[in-house]
Each structure stands twice: as structure tokens, then as C-alpha cells.
Amino acid sequence: MAATVMPCEDCVSGSLHTGTPTGRVTTVHGLPTYVADSESGEPKGIIVFMHDAFGWDLPNNRLLADNYARRTNCRVYLPDFFDGYSIPNGLLKHADGILENTAPTYLEKFKKIPPAIYFIYSVIRWLFGTRTSVTKPRVFKFIMDLRAAEGSVLPIGQAGFCWGGKYTALLCADTEKTPDGKSLIDCGFTAHPSRLEVPADLEAVKLPMSISVGDVDLAFKFSQVQEVQKIFERKGRDFEIVVIPGAKHGFAIRGTEKDEVQAKQAKQAEDQAVDWFNKWLK
């Protein structure tokens, strides 16, 4: 089944998380990058965090990168793979109201027009700036350069969310190698991936891959989830897909912190990723 390019409403909505990221911002292999260092100062591996539509500077993404670094003793890189074309973080505050189909009065409907126009403009700009012909070379160059540098002595994991989940599958397909024949990554994890071609992208994966997904995901239909379950069962123990009941697209990144159910769903995905990286990045 061909991948859907247009984002679903859950791709562009959610909540901003509280907390202060503790990492640092620098340039890594040519890209602005948020770096979450391991607490030990001697990381056992590297995790490349490939963000959702809201990009590398979304606090939610940085806070989760911090958690990964703390819980895996790995260095986590969260680069700007969009070159500034992320959907603005501020739209999260207005997305639910814009996407809501009802408004009590004509005045309230009128008030929604300016933010709705900005919302549509931002999504179209993001789609243009993040088309595959632009982002795929950027992603693979970063990983290739990383493998040639510190990744030559440390294992590399990749974590992809929404947009980034497509690259989990592409990298785990292991079709591109370093000049000396090494795989670009050692394992991959993705939560609520989008733009996947099912079954082709999943049939092609060869490196260990873990997926966390809900059963009501608008971008990853449950019929596709069931198809992937069968594919991974055939592939064996190096592949897993965990279905979280009631979880929507975006649950691992943009769920509401104060909602007990959504917070639990996000924690389940985090635990799954941490367990996966601790298993394969040694």
C-alpha cells in the first residue's frame, strides 16, 4: 500500500510538555543538533533521534532525548533534519481549536480564520521543505558521517517518530553501507511512524527493529498493524511490534501530560525504546 503524504490531524496536534531540557545545542556533522550526553560521560552507544513534524526544537522531543540518554547511558543526537521547515511549536496551543469542526457563535468561527490560515500555510510549508528528495540525502549523509566518526567504535541506534519512523524502516533495510561495508545503524525503534509503505518497507528490514503503535492510529491503520505483526512474526526475535490499546498517532511525543491514560501510554513507548536500545547497544 502506498504511503500517505498528507499528515493526519493527529500529526499536527497535541500538547506542549513542561520541564527544562538539560542538553546542549551544537553543530554535529553539519547540522544544528541538540545533544543529550550520558551521565557517565562514557557512552556505550549513540542514539539518533529523528523527530516528528514539530522538529528538533520541540521541548517534548528534547525532554525525551534527555530521558533516553539518562536511562541507556548513550549519547543522544537530535539534529534539525528539516533545515528550519518544522511546524512552529506554538501551533500546538491552537491546533485542537482549529481542527474542531464546531464553534458556538459566528464571532468565534470568524476568530478561527486567521490562525487557521497560518496553520494551513505552516503545514504546506512543512510538506514542501521536508519532501523526500530533500530530507533523505540529508538523513543518510548525517548517519554516514556519524558512522565514519565516533560510530566507528560505538554502536548506533535510531529512534524515529511520525516523520522519522519512515527512516527507521529505511535504515533498518540496510541497503546503504559505509565504504568498508558496515551497516549505518545497529538497530532501530519507532513510535507511531507515518508515510510507511506497507508491506514493502517492513518486508525489506533486516536490522533489529521495534515498533510502538496504537490501535486507533490515523496514520498507521490497524489493518496495516496486523499485516506488520505477521511480517515480524516470520522474521523472528529481532523484530517486534507492540500495540498499545487506545493510543492515538503522536502518543509517544505529544500526549497530554496531565491525562493519566495518555501519560501511561507515552511511558510505555519510552520503556519499550529504552529496553530495545539497552538490548542492542552494548
Side-chain angles (χ1 to χ4, degrees):
M1 183 181 294
T4 301
V5 175
M6 287 299 294
C8 70
E9 64 180 60
D10 289 334
C11 287
V12 292
S13 60
S15 67
L16 282 170
H17 290 180
T18 56
T20 302
T22 57
R24 54 192 170 88
V25 173
T26 186
T27 299
V28 178
H29 301 302
L31 296 182
T33 302
Y34 177 80
V35 181
D37 288 302
S38 65
E39 291 184 349
S40 70
E42 297 182 359
K44 67 177 184 182
I46 303 164
I47 298 171
V48 181
F49 190 121
M50 296 191 184
H51 46 69
D52 59 359
F54 291 90
W56 77 302
D57 58 350
L58 181 71
N60 308 26
N61 287 327
R62 295 186 175 192
L63 290 166
L64 185 55
D66 290 344
N67 289 351
Y68 282 178
R70 176 176 53 82
R71 298 183 64 193
T72 65
N73 192 34
C74 290
R75 178 179 297 123
V76 182
Y77 288 140
L78 170 51
D80 178 12
F81 286 115
F82 289 169
D83 192 29
Y85 280 88
S86 304
I87 295 177
N89 295 180
L91 279 179
L92 277 178
K93 299 177 182 179
H94 307 290
D96 289 339
I98 293 169
L99 294 169
E100 177 62 51
N101 292 324
T102 60
T105 67
Y106 284 108
L107 178 59
E108 291 188 16
K109 290 179 180 178
F110 181 78
K111 288 180 178 179
K112 291 174 65 172
I113 293 175
I117 292 173
Y118 180 56
F119 181 85
I120 293 169
Y121 161 77
S122 298
V123 171
I124 292 174
R125 179 180 179 273
W126 169 71
L127 286 169
F128 173 78
T130 63
R131 59 199 188 279
T132 303
S133 61
V134 173
T135 55
K136 185 177 179 182
R138 187 180 296 146
V139 166
F140 275 81
K141 182 182 184 304
F142 181 90
I143 300 293
M144 187 76 75
D145 290 347
L146 180 63
R147 179 59 97 187
E150 61 199 285
S152 64
V153 294
L154 291 174
I156 299 175
Q158 185 266 10
F161 302 87
C162 300
W163 171 88
K166 172 74 173 181
Y167 288 96
T168 307
L170 292 180
L171 287 162
C172 284
D174 201 27
T175 55
E176 296 195 29
K177 306 274 192 179
T178 63
D180 58 351
K182 291 182 179 179
S183 299
L184 298 187
I185 65 170
D186 294 279
C187 69
F189 165 83
T190 177
H192 42 80
S194 62
R195 301 187 183 186
L196 285 178
E197 293 187 19
V198 179
D201 284 344
L202 288 308
E203 290 280 13
V205 300
K206 298 180 179 68
L207 302 176
M209 180 174 171
S210 175
I211 301 174
S212 183
V213 66
D215 57 0
V216 290
D217 192 314
L218 295 176
F220 197 176
K221 304 298 184 184
F222 191 60
S223 59
Q224 295 177 306
V225 171
Q226 292 174 311
E227 196 168 357
V228 176
Q229 286 176 319
K230 294 177 183 177
I231 293 170
F232 278 11
E233 284 173 6
R234 292 197 301 268
K235 286 182 175 291
R237 290 181 298 175
D238 292 355
F239 305 88
E240 68 174 19
I241 179 167
V242 177
V243 181
I244 299 179
K248 304 187 301 182
H249 188 74
F251 73 92
I253 297 291
R254 288 173 272 106
T256 302
E257 289 177 298
K258 294 182 180 179
D259 184 303
E260 185 176 335
V261 172
Q262 292 186 36
K264 182 179 179 181
Q265 291 168 345
K267 184 61 164 53
Q268 283 180 265
E270 180 185 323
D271 290 346
Q272 181 181 335
V274 167
D275 289 345
W276 194 249
F277 291 132
N278 280 332
K279 176 179 180 179
W280 293 104
L281 303 182
K282 299 177 180 178

